[in-house]
Amino acid sequence: MPINITFRTQLLGGVAEFCGNCEVPLFSTPLHLVELIVLLAKYKEEGVSLYPEVYLTKDVSQLIAMLPEAQKLPLGATTRDVDGIKRAIKKSAPLAISGWLIYLEDNGASLNFGLMRGTSNPIAVLVDRVLLDEHNPNQVTKIFQVADDCVEIISSSGLRHVVFLNHRKDDSPPPLASLEGLIKSVTQSVSEDLLEPSQSYLTRTLYNALRVSHGTLIAVTKKPEPPKSLFNDGLKLDEPIDFPDLIRRLKRSEVSAEPLASAAALLEGMLNSDGIILFDRAARLLGFNYFVRAKNAANEVGGARRRAFATLSSHIGKGLVGAFIQSQDGWSDFRGV
């Protein structure tokens, strides 16, 4: 009789301590967390990939109270077991888009589920900075897919695990760990009064777009225009998209949130285009669809995007201050000053 070899036993052992400390009754049975991790690792409905973010709590009303201009949409109640978890996700996941998040409320008797969201203000503090703060008296656990076959679980008690359901090495960094370096590089020269809202806005916009992107390259320059010595083609914007200026005008009530929402949509579209997106270090988007001629291509390991990233990296300090790559499978790297 054949012997089955699975990761189930190891995964159960790996999350047992997390379950014991996150104070969510549902996870007193670690198998429930394992099933949720496996379910979200590559979630699809009708053949379409979905990327829901799931928050587990004992009292969703307390979570809602912490978020400004919050909204809540209850969808039902189900059993506190594997079948109930699957049902809750299936009913909720198609709706968990455009800022809507799934909540699972475990009251000990049933599993209530639905959707919630915070304010639509594009420069508001990130939801996770509020809900997953270690001082939050209401324990919360977040579970979400960050790349194919990779799920992150975070508890407001400070626990954080990245679960790889593939051949990645134990010391592999999280898929989008390099995003923070990119954000810091892009906002190096942003004024202090606009730094935090600019970083929050760009983090939210890039994070959501990169999770569903099929790979991208982003370069950051210290010059007011693309370095001609590096880029041989591209679409330079006649007027750069100045994100901090839009944020300044929104804070002064000179414009509505619509220009920032439109700018985010343009940036997301550029991330799905071929070529390199170019920022300066004052968080201005200078252009996109840029290409470089990779040097020593025969000595570089990987495809065209990886070779282009190597070329960008070689120009750090020589016109560029940062270079970011996300591969097709969702893994990223950043090089910068």
Side-chain angles (χ1 to χ4, degrees):
M1 186 169 179
I3 298 175
N4 293 331
I5 300 176
T6 74
F7 60 84
R8 190 184 191 87
T9 301
Q10 183 175 355
L11 186 53
L12 273 170
V15 302
E17 182 180 356
F18 183 96
C19 291
N21 290 302
C22 69
E23 298 183 22
V24 176
L26 185 68
F27 292 158
S28 60
T29 302
L31 178 61
H32 292 160
L33 177 55
V34 170
E35 293 294 342
L36 193 50
I37 289 171
V38 174
L39 185 64
L40 296 179
K42 195 178 288 187
Y43 194 81
K44 291 185 178 182
E45 286 287 352
E46 302 296 333
V48 177
S49 296
L50 301 176
Y51 306 90
E53 298 178 54
V54 182
Y55 293 77
L56 285 98
T57 180
K58 293 185 288 186
D59 189 343
V60 71
S61 296
Q62 289 188 21
L63 295 194
I64 295 296
M66 297 175 65
L67 300 175
E69 301 177 30
Q71 300 177 61
K72 174 186 172 185
L73 179 64
L75 294 177
T78 186
T79 52
R80 300 173 64 254
D81 53 23
V82 171
D83 289 340
I85 292 171
K86 290 181 178 179
R87 180 174 183 271
I89 298 301
K90 183 175 180 61
K91 297 295 184 182
S92 308
L95 306 180
I97 57 175
S98 301
W100 285 99
L101 311 165
I102 295 177
Y103 72 79
L104 300 179
E105 180 186 46
D106 182 14
N107 60 20
S110 63
L111 189 64
N112 302 320
F113 64 93
L115 301 170
M116 65 179 184
R117 65 170 298 156
T119 177
S120 59
N121 187 332
I123 61 174
V125 176
L126 298 173
V127 167
D128 284 358
R129 290 188 180 176
V130 177
L131 299 187
L132 297 175
D133 186 273
E134 61 181 7
H135 300 297
N136 181 0
N138 184 28
Q139 287 293 313
V140 185
T141 296
K142 179 184 180 182
I143 306 169
F144 61 110
Q145 183 205 108
V146 285
D148 280 352
D149 293 324
C150 180
V151 174
E152 190 164 343
I153 53 176
I154 309 174
S155 170
S156 55
S157 61
L159 297 173
R160 179 182 179 186
H161 290 0
V162 179
V163 182
F164 302 118
L165 281 75
N166 53 28
H167 63 283
R168 291 280 170 174
K169 297 179 180 179
D170 291 345
D171 59 352
S172 296
L176 286 178
S178 300
L179 180 58
E180 182 178 357
L182 172 64
I183 297 298
K184 288 182 177 179
S185 181
V186 166
T187 57
Q188 282 182 62
S189 298
V190 173
S191 61
E192 188 66 30
D193 61 318
L194 296 173
L195 184 59
E196 184 176 349
S198 295
Q199 290 182 338
S200 292
Y201 170 81
L202 288 171
T203 297
R204 181 184 292 110
T205 301
L206 287 171
Y207 178 79
N208 290 334
L210 289 171
R211 287 180 68 201
V212 299
S213 171
H214 296 296
T216 193
L217 284 165
I218 300 175
V220 187
T221 180
K222 61 182 180 181
K223 298 183 178 181
E225 59 182 32
K228 295 180 180 179
S229 61
L230 177 60
F231 298 103
N232 56 14
D233 192 14
L235 295 173
K236 177 179 178 294
L237 301 179
D238 290 339
E239 293 186 13
I241 299 176
D242 192 331
F243 292 106
D245 183 60
L246 289 173
I247 291 170
R248 178 187 290 108
R249 293 165 64 191
L250 175 61
K251 292 180 69 174
R252 293 176 177 174
S253 300
E254 296 175 0
V255 298
S256 67
E258 180 58 31
L260 273 171
S262 297
L266 286 174
L267 177 54
E268 290 174 14
M270 293 175 188
L271 287 166
N272 288 317
S273 301
D274 291 334
I276 301 162
I277 295 173
L278 187 66
F279 279 90
D280 67 11
R281 54 185 176 180
R284 300 190 313 155
L285 179 55
L286 304 181
F288 70 107
N289 202 220
Y290 282 98
F291 294 89
V292 296
R293 185 176 292 107
K295 298 179 180 179
N296 302 321
N299 297 325
E300 300 293 346
V301 177
R305 185 178 289 118
R306 176 60 63 177
R307 293 194 297 272
F309 178 66
T311 300
L312 293 175
S313 299
S314 70
H315 281 75
I316 300 297
K318 295 180 289 185
L320 296 184
V321 294
F324 173 90
I325 182 175
Q326 179 181 284
S327 61
Q328 190 168 2
D329 61 0
W331 303 85
S332 66
D333 192 8
F334 173 78
R335 309 282 172 82
V337 176

